[in-house]
Amino acid sequence: QVQLVESGGGLVQPGGSLRLSCTASGSIFSINHMMGWYRQALGKERELVAGITTIGSTTYADSVNGRFTISRDNAKNTVTLQMNSLKPEDTAVYYCNYRELSGVQLQYWGQGTQVTVSS
């Protein structure tokens, strides 16, 4: 069992910044996995915002590429999403995700944290 604990989120004005963190704990057996952040806005499907593998390969949604940066500390099993130049359309519930990249590719989810970008 993998548990994901999130921190960060909140209310910020357009152009501002926020930082989200997620720490994984429990029975982490896979050495080939991705940790990342998804988000779900009102009336939209959940989408991948950014992800990073154990070896450091990253992926970003086109809508956030160049504004958001994802990083991880493998020793601490922690992933961080630095969000800059935030826009109102970034408003959503953000969920931390852990996904195995081999075998049956089990997934685990954090509880979600609200990010609201508004003036």
Side-chain angles (χ1 to χ4, degrees):
Q1 182 71 26
V2 176
Q3 297 173 329
L4 303 175
V5 179
E6 303 161 329
S7 64
L11 174 65
V12 66
Q13 296 185 30
S17 298
L18 285 173
R19 181 164 54 205
L20 306 180
S21 294
C22 176
T23 298
S25 63
S27 300
I28 304 175
F29 297 114
S30 177
I31 61 173
N32 185 21
H33 62 266
M34 172 180 286
M35 290 186 67
W37 291 90
Y38 286 70
R39 69 184 181 188
Q40 187 164 23
L42 182 64
K44 299 183 64 177
E45 64 183 6
R46 187 173 298 187
E47 65 173 347
L48 176 66
V49 178
I52 185 167
T53 69
T54 306
I55 62 173
S57 298
T58 60
T59 185
Y60 296 92
D62 289 340
S63 59
V64 308
N65 196 21
R67 299 187 296 121
F68 293 8
T69 302
I70 191 167
S71 61
R72 70 181 296 161
D73 185 331
N74 288 334
K76 299 178 180 179
N77 291 316
T78 297
V79 63
T80 299
L81 183 67
Q82 178 66 46
M83 304 185 293
N84 298 325
S85 302
L86 283 162
K87 304 175 180 179
E89 50 263 45
D90 295 318
T91 297
V93 177
Y94 285 68
Y95 298 89
C96 184
N97 171 266
Y98 175 103
R99 185 178 69 197
E100 298 174 345
L101 298 180
S102 62
V104 299
Q105 300 189 21
L106 295 175
Q107 291 191 77
Y108 303 88
W109 295 92
Q111 80 282 358
T113 184
Q114 177 71 46
V115 171
T116 302
V117 185
S118 176
S119 59

